[in-house]
Amino acid sequence: MNGIRKVKEYCRKPGSFICFLLIMLSALFTVSSMLYLIIYILMNGIPYINGQLFEWTYNADNVSMLPAIINTIIVVFLTLLIAVPVGIAAAIYLVEYAKRGSKLVKVIRVTTETLAGIPSIVFGLFGFLAFVLTFHWGYSLLAGILTLAMMVLPTIIRTTEEALISVPDTFREGSYGLGAGKLRTIFIIVLPAAVPGILAGVILSIGRIVGESAALIFTAGSVAAVPKGLFDSTRTLAVHMYCLLSEGLYTHQAYATAVILLVIVLIINWLSGMAAKKVGKEN
């Protein structure tokens, strides 16, 4: 009944009704496109999931994705290990230490927003020229991790900065009034209150890392094996799927890989959402 009343109210004002109709059509288009994509991947991939795809050693017969799954987890962990502390520290400086409205802060914000919009292939080209050729690391796990860290760093900085800004100044003033110093106030009062926003940036970063292929092809290479060290070449699930499709011989296995990649992304988002809710309730 409430929905019908709202529609009648919108119909009385043509402009509001048109906006309401456009919003509903956009939402319907978005949801239907997502459902179509998920159903298409599941229908084409699930029938070809078998035990051979999860064997420890990759070869031309089984085209196992297990090494790529392990590599994806390693890449996500090491990339976040580098990018998250640096991004949070940069955001703390911009919000808590730098003068508000200063030119330096404006330049850094413009720079981070620009870097966030740069295509991943550009980061891959930079990583190839800097890490692979200039530093003579070759196609290696370390080159891929550093390239991905540069890619997700702007997202972590901006989301963390917005989360810190959203913390009321009364929290800081109350802490100062109780005799706490600036550093203690930041780590005991401000950061815990901003954790849900920081986790949102981390979740976005994880999604980009897991789905990235272009930058890693230029830096980490495409060797289908678990690396023994930071200077060994490797491939993630996204690169594995790209390699299977580009070869043209393993299309069905590529769809099966897409299903596993979709499931991993959904699990990561679900776990991250649960963690964010739990932290939010505790705060």
Side-chain angles (χ1 to χ4, degrees):
M1 294 297 294
N2 292 331
I4 296 175
R5 291 176 182 176
K6 290 182 179 180
V7 172
K8 290 181 178 180
E9 292 177 359
Y10 287 131
C11 291
R12 295 175 184 175
K13 300 178 181 180
S16 299
F17 177 73
I18 292 173
C19 291
F20 172 77
L21 186 62
L22 291 175
I23 292 172
M24 294 302 295
L25 289 174
S26 300
L28 180 62
F29 175 77
T30 303
V31 174
S32 59
S33 300
M34 181 184 66
L35 290 177
Y36 171 77
L37 180 62
I38 293 175
I39 293 173
Y40 180 81
I41 292 175
L42 294 178
M43 290 181 61
N44 287 276
I46 289 179
Y48 300 99
I49 296 177
N50 53 54
Q52 290 184 342
L53 294 177
F54 298 96
E55 293 183 3
W56 180 258
T57 304
Y58 170 94
N59 55 55
D61 295 326
N62 59 30
V63 290
S64 174
M65 69 173 79
L66 183 59
I69 294 175
I70 297 174
N71 295 336
T72 300
I73 297 174
I74 294 173
V75 168
V76 169
F77 175 75
L78 294 180
T79 302
L80 293 180
L81 188 64
I82 296 173
V84 171
V86 175
I88 293 177
I92 289 175
Y93 170 77
L94 293 174
V95 176
E96 303 295 336
Y97 289 96
K99 294 182 180 179
R100 294 185 179 181
S102 65
K103 293 183 178 180
L104 177 62
V105 173
K106 293 180 180 178
V107 170
I108 295 176
R109 285 177 178 171
V110 171
T111 303
T112 53
E113 291 173 356
T114 303
L115 289 175
I118 292 178
S120 59
I121 192 70
V122 178
F123 282 99
L125 181 60
F126 173 80
F128 175 76
L129 295 174
F131 305 130
V132 177
L133 297 182
T134 304
F135 292 167
H136 303 289
W137 292 347
Y139 294 107
S140 61
L141 176 63
L142 182 59
I145 289 171
L146 292 178
T147 304
L148 289 177
M150 291 189 298
M151 287 179 54
V152 301
L153 194 58
T155 301
I156 295 175
I157 292 175
R158 290 297 294 142
T159 53
T160 304
E161 185 182 2
E162 293 299 328
L164 294 175
I165 292 175
S166 65
V167 177
D169 288 336
T170 53
F171 285 21
R172 300 175 176 85
E173 294 170 357
S175 179
Y176 295 148
L178 293 174
K182 192 174 187 64
L183 195 63
R184 181 180 293 273
T185 298
I186 292 172
F187 283 95
I188 303 299
I189 305 298
V190 179
L191 276 181
V195 164
I198 297 173
L199 282 178
V202 174
I203 293 171
L204 292 174
S205 301
I206 291 174
R208 188 168 187 184
I209 295 169
V210 172
E212 185 54 47
S213 60
L216 290 174
I217 292 173
F218 283 97
T219 54
S222 58
V223 174
V226 178
K228 297 180 180 179
L230 292 176
F231 294 98
D232 292 335
S233 178
T234 185
R235 70 165 67 168
T236 60
L237 265 179
V239 177
H240 179 73
M241 183 172 62
Y242 167 80
C243 292
L244 295 181
L245 285 174
S246 62
E247 292 174 4
L249 301 175
Y250 309 103
T251 305
H252 299 314
Q253 290 84 348
Y255 279 115
T257 303
V259 173
I260 301 301
L261 183 60
L262 179 63
V263 171
I264 291 176
V265 171
L266 291 177
I267 292 175
I268 290 174
N269 288 338
W270 178 73
L271 292 175
S272 302
M274 293 292 292
K277 289 181 181 180
K278 185 176 181 180
V279 172
K281 290 180 180 179
E282 291 178 357
N283 293 331

